[in-house]
Structure formats: C-alpha cells, structure tokens
Amino acid sequence: MSLSKTCWLALLGGAALALAGCGQLSSRSAPQVSSIPLARGAKVVARNRRCDRGANPYCAVQLVVVGGRYHTSMRLLTEEQNHLASLGWTQTDGDAGDESAADSPGHKLRLTYATASDDLKGVDLGWIKRSRRITMALSQVMFARAPALSLMLETGSS
C-alpha cells in the first residue's frame, strides 16, 4: 500500500507541527545582556553569544564583568549576589566547580557566575566551557589584577 504525495506531505506537516509543539523545532534566542542586574559600578568588558542546537538546545550570553570600586573579585561576587537577592532572584548552585547561580523571578532567566580565577580554573580542569574570547578576557583581567567575574546568562526552564 503506497501513500499519495498529498498524504505524505500532510503527514510530514503534522509531524513538524507536533515537534514544534514539543519545542524541538523552536529556536531559542540568546537573552539580552540588559536583563542582567549588575552590582553598582560593575561593567561588561567582554561578551559572547553561544548557542547549542543539540539534544538540549539553548542560547546563552557569556560575559566578563569588572568592578573597579571593589578591592577583590570575591567582594564583587558578594555584591552581585546581594544585588540579585534584593531583586528577588533565587540563589542556587552553579553547574560545576566554584560557580554560583541565581534564577530570576518567574524562573525565565538563569545567571551562572564565578570569580575570574575560579572560572579559569573550571575551564582548565574541563568542568566548564567558555568561548575563546571570554577565556582570553578572563586571563587579561586577572593579569591586570582587576576585580572580575565571569557570568553566563541563559533562558530558564519556564
């Protein structure tokens, strides 16, 4: 029994709609950098958009942030955590190593962050992946002894 060309097209169209409904064909765009609430005085010095279209597709923005008004990267990290908490972001564990994370109110965004040195250690040990641009920027701010963080903003689970 063979199906006509029209039947095949209808079946393929139905399958495509079913997959789109499951999110398999939907394309996620990277979240906007302006969505990140930064600690007072912190500024973005490098950014890179990264997408993975694999089995669990996502798009993220990787950033390097410096805060010249802070004496150490740990102090900048603490101020970032406090600022996120004051805006209702929920603190949670990072994906690996010494990372921390926070989910936005409504869980639409997830921000993973660490000091520049901790993120570089994670890259070196193979715990995490960062783009070459971000890895180089992290190295540069470390050698400049600037208080710096590595951030990765992704769309959340809802």
Side-chain angles (χ1 to χ4, degrees), residues 15 18 30 42 54 60 70 77 83 92-93 114-115 119 121 132 135-136 153 157:
Y70 302 98
L77 184 125
H83 184 57
T92 185
D93 292 329
T115 63
D119 230 36
K121 179 176 76 174
R132 180 165 172 74
T135 302
M136 295 303 293
L153 182 67
S157 58

Side-chain angles (χ1 to χ4, degrees), residues 43-121:
K43 68 177 186 170
V44 175
V45 296
R47 74 179 76 187
N48 191 65
R49 180 177 180 262
R50 183 168 213 146
C51 294
D52 182 346
R53 303 284 183 215
N56 298 305
Y58 75 93
C59 281
V61 178
Q62 299 174 352
L63 307 154
V64 177
V65 174
V66 296
R69 70 189 317 247
Y70 302 98
H71 295 291
T72 66
S73 294
M74 280 305 298
R75 185 68 187 143
L76 175 57
L77 184 125
T78 300
E79 287 301 315
E80 181 65 21
Q81 285 176 325
N82 292 341
H83 184 57
L84 291 168
S86 75
L87 297 172
W89 287 60
T90 306
Q91 299 295 314
T92 185
D93 292 329
D95 297 328
D98 298 317
E99 292 179 329
S100 297
D103 293 325
S104 68
H107 302 282
K108 293 184 188 297
L109 298 171
R110 177 177 171 83
L111 182 66
T112 305
Y113 53 96
T115 63
S117 62
D118 285 341
D119 230 36
L120 280 175
K121 179 176 76 174

